[in-house]
Amino acid sequence: MADVVFFDLDGTLVDHRSAVWETIGQIVRAAPNATAPPEELAALWWTLEARHMREYLAGQCSFAEHHRRRIRSFLPALGEPIPDGPDLLDAWIAERYLAAFQESWQCYPDVQPCLENLKRLPDAPRLAVLTNGDPGQQRAKLARFGLLEYFEAVLTPTELGTAKPAAYTAACRWMRTDPAQAVNVGDMLESDVNAAALAGLTGIWLDRGIDFVTGGPSPTADETVLRIERLTDLPDHLSHTNA
């Protein structure tokens, strides 16, 4: 059995994409001067999220500033003026986006059964979350759904000093395990599976039938990729892999 199993969070444990779509839909429907249909503005928001998240992960701005940059780019399309100063931007984010976003979080139904079954395995592995998200927000998601107790650590760029893919090596050091004894489970084929494998871990692809970035069908994986469709398949998969 593997010593440590790392789990990605967004798209793996919590349905981040649906929460974003629901939240932006609410904002757009309440904006009388929006410059485009709701679906176009939601797509714009998703593009801006990816762009400014990359800047945060590259160390070019703080997590709070990455939100501000997103809002500065988005509000003209919403037909609203850009608030003057970071405090007003932060207030807009807290009141108009984050409150509704947090209400829209949903845990996938296969998560808790998977974690419970992993606990019951002989020589059960230690569990950790490895995510590129903000530590406060990510822990809040886990706490909302009673998941924190399952994990020995919740590791983000704040703790590790680096984001995925370099974070795989750093996370193994943090957990005092060899990469060859670690598994990473996530929904993104390249960043969660192939990048983990390059770092020496075993990557397992959770194929939920949707591409997290585009919203289209899942990408096509090489036949050598270890793939599951439900997290509840993971305990048996680990047992067979390590038999």
Side-chain angles (χ1 to χ4, degrees), residues 94-113:
E95 296 167 10
R96 300 278 299 278
Y97 179 71
L98 287 179
F101 177 57
Q102 292 168 6
E103 285 299 313
S104 298
W105 291 341
Q106 294 291 330
C107 180
Y108 292 107
D110 56 1
V111 174
Q112 195 159 13

Side-chain angles (χ1 to χ4, degrees), residues 23-92:
T23 303
I24 296 306
Q26 292 179 29
I27 291 172
V28 170
R29 289 191 294 271
N33 299 317
T35 63
E39 60 273 14
E40 291 185 23
L41 290 176
L44 171 62
W45 177 272
W46 193 251
T47 298
L48 294 172
E49 175 177 311
R51 176 189 306 165
H52 297 303
M53 189 67 176
R54 285 194 298 270
E55 294 169 353
Y56 161 66
L57 294 174
Q60 298 172 9
C61 64
S62 67
F63 191 75
E65 178 59 25
H66 113 279
H67 269 142
R68 296 176 194 133
R69 291 182 180 185
R70 200 189 310 175
I71 296 302
R72 290 189 191 102
S73 300
F74 186 69
L75 283 180
L78 201 61
E80 295 186 17
I82 300 172
D84 186 16
D87 290 345
L88 292 176
L89 282 167
D90 291 346
W92 193 102

Side-chain angles (χ1 to χ4, degrees), residues 39-225:
E39 60 273 14
E40 291 185 23
L41 290 176
L44 171 62
W45 177 272
W46 193 251
T47 298
L48 294 172
E49 175 177 311
R51 176 189 306 165
H52 297 303
M53 189 67 176
R54 285 194 298 270
E55 294 169 353
Y56 161 66
L57 294 174
Q60 298 172 9
C61 64
S62 67
F63 191 75
E65 178 59 25
H66 113 279
H67 269 142
R68 296 176 194 133
R69 291 182 180 185
R70 200 189 310 175
I71 296 302
R72 290 189 191 102
S73 300
F74 186 69
L75 283 180
L78 201 61
E80 295 186 17
I82 300 172
D84 186 16
D87 290 345
L88 292 176
L89 282 167
D90 291 346
W92 193 102
I93 294 162
E95 296 167 10
R96 300 278 299 278
Y97 179 71
L98 287 179
F101 177 57
Q102 292 168 6
E103 285 299 313
S104 298
W105 291 341
Q106 294 291 330
C107 180
Y108 292 107
D110 56 1
V111 174
Q112 195 159 13
C114 166
L115 299 176
E116 283 290 332
N117 287 336
L118 286 174
K119 281 188 355 181
R120 298 188 184 103
L121 289 175
D123 300 319
R126 295 179 292 146
L127 307 182
V129 171
L130 179 55
T131 169
N132 279 346
D134 171 72
Q137 187 177 83
Q138 301 300 66
R139 285 187 175 87
K141 292 174 185 176
L142 295 168
R144 165 82 66 83
F145 302 110
L147 301 179
L148 272 174
E149 65 184 72
Y150 293 98
F151 299 105
E152 185 173 315
V154 179
L155 302 176
T156 76
T158 299
E159 288 81 20
L160 300 176
T162 189
K164 300 176 190 178
Y168 290 115
T169 300
C172 288
R173 286 197 300 266
W174 184 286
M175 297 295 291
R176 296 182 176 86
T177 194
D178 189 282
Q181 295 297 112
V183 170
N184 190 72
V185 181
D187 64 296
M188 297 188 70
L189 180 59
E190 288 301 321
S191 60
D192 290 327
V193 181
N194 293 340
L198 286 174
L201 293 77
T202 297
I204 296 181
W205 181 31
L206 174 61
D207 179 9
R208 291 199 179 277
I210 184 173
D211 186 291
F212 181 84
V213 175
T214 67
S218 299
T220 301
D222 184 274
E223 62 183 11
T224 62
V225 168

